[in-house]
Amino acid sequence: MSLTYASYLHLDELLSLQQPRSDPPEHDETLFIIAHQAYELWFKLQLHELEKICADLRNNRLYGAIGTFKRVRTIMKVMVEQIDILETLTPMSFSSFRDRLETASGFQSSQFREFEFLLGYKRADMLRFQEPGTPGHERVARRLREPSVVDAFYVFLEYQGVAIPAILRQRDLALPTEPNEVVEDGILRLYRTKPDLEILFELMTDFDEGFQEWRYRHIKLVERSIGSKKGTGGSLGVEFLKKSLFHPVFPDLWAIRHKL
Ligand code: HEM
């Protein structure tokens, strides 16, 4: 049989995966499922693109990294905008099926945690929310030990003449990114002397700002949907989420802006 649109995209499988749990059916549960599935697909693509960015940076391919940062930045903007769709779900409509979620929560998304870890926001204690023995747990545990985009960025900066301190080159990879003044001075010098690198740094800042914007929009979504209720994942809800608000993944790029 020749390839078709449906067979290439495995549409029969894809379109059989939206299975609401409410009985009798609640109209808005379909939106809730499809929105989350769409996010999981975007996470999958973001991981794929960030891996390419790591390889580009480690091999000093500036234009490759610029092209792909433009892409991940643009996908991030779409991810932020998609929150608008979920905000058409009213608190009452969400309550009508929220119990059906039991203890399931975005909190347990292994791809989201991989995304954070790959970007260097490593919180080892988050691993306990992944079910042991599942492929998700294995992937998150592997990402925790692997170098992040920021580690790849250090390699790139070395190609550009920045002497990365040994403390960063030999760091424990399972720890989160920390700002570093030597790196910041190096980036500052490059901003002033190499305009093509400025393009990369600004795209990285755009992406970082986009991710922070996603966190803010998600918190507001949560606040308007459930207020001060606890999360289905067992956290305090909004209070827990606020801890990561305004957390940059590329802190060195933000630390120098008043000097530019
Ligand atoms: C009505 C819609 C939503 C509500 C009420 C909601 C609620 C929450 C709450 C309360 C938490 C804190 C953890 C917990 O105890 O459950 C959380 C975490 C999370 N949610 Fe949502 N959420 C919604 C939509 C979404 C969407 C569309 C996504 C997209 C994937 C998402 C992804 C996440 C992620 C990744 C976390 C973990 C964040 C972190 O660890 O910093 N949520 N959500």
Side-chain angles (χ1 to χ4, degrees), residues 18-251:
Q18 294 68 46
Q19 296 169 8
R21 300 189 83 227
S22 352
D23 182 18
E26 287 297 340
H27 179 83
D28 284 354
E29 194 181 352
T30 302
L31 158 68
F32 191 78
I33 292 173
I34 290 179
H36 281 82
Q37 288 183 340
Y39 272 110
E40 288 294 332
L41 289 175
W42 288 131
F43 289 146
K44 183 168 182 178
L45 183 60
Q46 292 285 45
L47 290 168
H48 181 66
E49 301 296 349
L50 288 174
E51 273 169 10
K52 174 183 176 290
I53 284 175
C54 285
D56 282 340
L57 292 173
R58 274 197 293 266
N59 291 288
N60 199 21
R61 291 191 293 256
L62 172 64
Y63 295 114
I66 285 180
T68 310
F69 256 113
K70 215 172 193 175
R71 181 173 301 168
V72 293
R73 183 267 319 253
T74 311
I75 299 168
M76 185 52 80
K77 283 180 187 287
V78 170
M79 290 168 70
V80 171
E81 270 193 4
Q82 275 182 205
I83 300 237
D84 288 350
I85 307 174
L86 280 141
E87 285 183 343
T88 65
L89 192 72
T90 66
M92 275 163 71
S93 149
F94 182 46
S95 314
S96 69
F97 62 87
R98 188 171 186 242
D99 284 353
R100 305 284 168 190
L101 306 179
E102 298 177 9
T103 53
S105 158
F107 209 27
Q108 297 155 340
S109 166
S110 47
Q111 290 203 106
F112 179 79
R113 221 49 85 191
E114 280 188 76
F115 185 61
E116 282 190 336
F117 287 6
L118 183 51
L119 288 166
Y121 186 32
K122 297 193 174 174
R123 292 182 282 172
D125 57 327
M126 287 296 155
L127 201 54
R128 72 194 148 97
F129 298 104
Q130 302 296 317
E131 209 175 323
T134 58
H137 186 284
E138 215 168 279
R139 280 187 279 111
V140 178
R142 182 168 53 80
R143 295 277 186 201
L144 182 67
R145 296 186 305 265
E146 280 179 357
S148 68
V149 173
V150 177
D151 294 305
F153 186 50
Y154 295 152
V155 177
F156 175 79
L157 290 175
E158 282 206 302
Y159 280 118
Q160 304 302 323
V162 179
I164 299 295
I167 194 172
L168 293 181
R169 279 190 281 109
Q170 291 153 14
R171 68 184 204 92
D172 176 354
L173 293 177
L175 294 177
T177 305
E178 292 286 345
N180 181 283
E181 278 184 21
V182 177
V183 173
E184 287 160 21
D185 289 345
I187 295 175
L188 200 56
R189 199 172 56 249
L190 294 172
Y191 251 110
R192 290 181 180 141
T193 53
K194 299 196 178 178
D196 47 351
L197 293 190
E198 181 186 49
I199 299 174
L200 175 69
F201 299 154
E202 289 299 300
L203 281 169
M204 292 173 74
T205 310
D206 280 353
F207 170 82
D208 196 342
E209 188 176 338
F211 192 18
Q212 293 179 53
E213 210 179 332
W214 184 86
R215 289 192 194 276
Y216 171 77
R217 291 294 313 275
H218 174 254
I219 290 181
K220 285 289 146 191
L221 166 69
V222 176
E223 208 173 353
R224 65 188 281 169
S225 309
I226 62 167
S228 58
K229 288 183 196 164
K230 280 192 178 165
T232 47
S235 83
L236 284 178
V238 171
E239 280 317 301
F240 160 77
L241 294 167
K242 277 186 181 164
K243 288 186 193 150
S244 302
L245 195 57
F246 303 130
H247 180 92
V249 287
F250 304 128

